[in-house]
Amino acid sequence: VQLQASGGGLVQPGGPLRLSCAASGSIFKINNMGWYRQAPGSQRELVATITSDGSTNYGDSMKGRFTISFDIAKYTVYLQGNSLKTEDTAVYYCNAEVVVNTLDVKYNYWGQGTQVTVSS
């Protein structure tokens, strides 16, 4: 299973962000997908997760500024951000819990990360 993220790059302070991450490979079903981020010198932290039935969970500092959504037919998760701040600068990682067969064998996968830099 591969997770391919797109979007990111340079964002103006106060500007919007849109990331997408598509899962591909030997997928029976996806239980949940999400986004985490890691700034230089900091631990990886939760941005948001979403389950296959649409339940969402956001990191405490992310609520109200980020929105996660999931196109289950395309195995693609999206992250939309608004009013970005310089402290949102980080590498954003896509994550997925994937069931690979009918025996409910599941694995956790990470994407390669996409850099988001908030700067004028």
Side-chain angles (χ1 to χ4, degrees):
V1 174
Q2 296 82 39
L3 300 181
Q4 182 64 51
S6 60
L10 181 64
V11 179
Q12 296 286 324
L17 172 71
R18 183 169 174 84
L19 303 177
S20 63
C21 176
S24 62
S26 298
I27 299 170
F28 179 69
K29 67 174 181 177
I30 294 181
N31 286 338
N32 58 73
M33 295 188 77
W35 292 94
Y36 294 76
R37 72 184 188 185
Q38 187 167 18
S42 300
Q43 291 186 330
R44 192 170 296 189
E45 63 176 343
L46 168 70
V47 180
T49 61
I50 186 167
T51 65
S52 58
D53 63 1
S55 298
T56 58
N57 181 45
Y58 291 89
D60 287 341
S61 64
M62 316 300 173
K63 296 175 183 176
R65 295 194 303 119
F66 291 93
T67 301
I68 190 169
S69 59
F70 184 30
D71 186 333
I72 194 168
K74 296 181 179 179
Y75 295 146
T76 299
V77 64
Y78 304 93
L79 182 70
Q80 185 166 342
N82 296 298
S83 302
L84 260 64
K85 307 171 184 178
T86 55
E87 50 263 44
D88 292 316
T89 295
V91 178
Y92 285 68
Y93 294 93
C94 175
N95 175 265
E97 183 180 274
V98 178
V99 179
V100 298
N101 57 36
T102 57
L103 300 177
D104 204 35
V105 173
K106 57 179 74 73
Y107 297 102
N108 198 48
Y109 294 94
W110 290 92
Q112 81 282 8
T114 184
Q115 176 71 46
V116 174
T117 301
V118 184
S119 174
S120 56

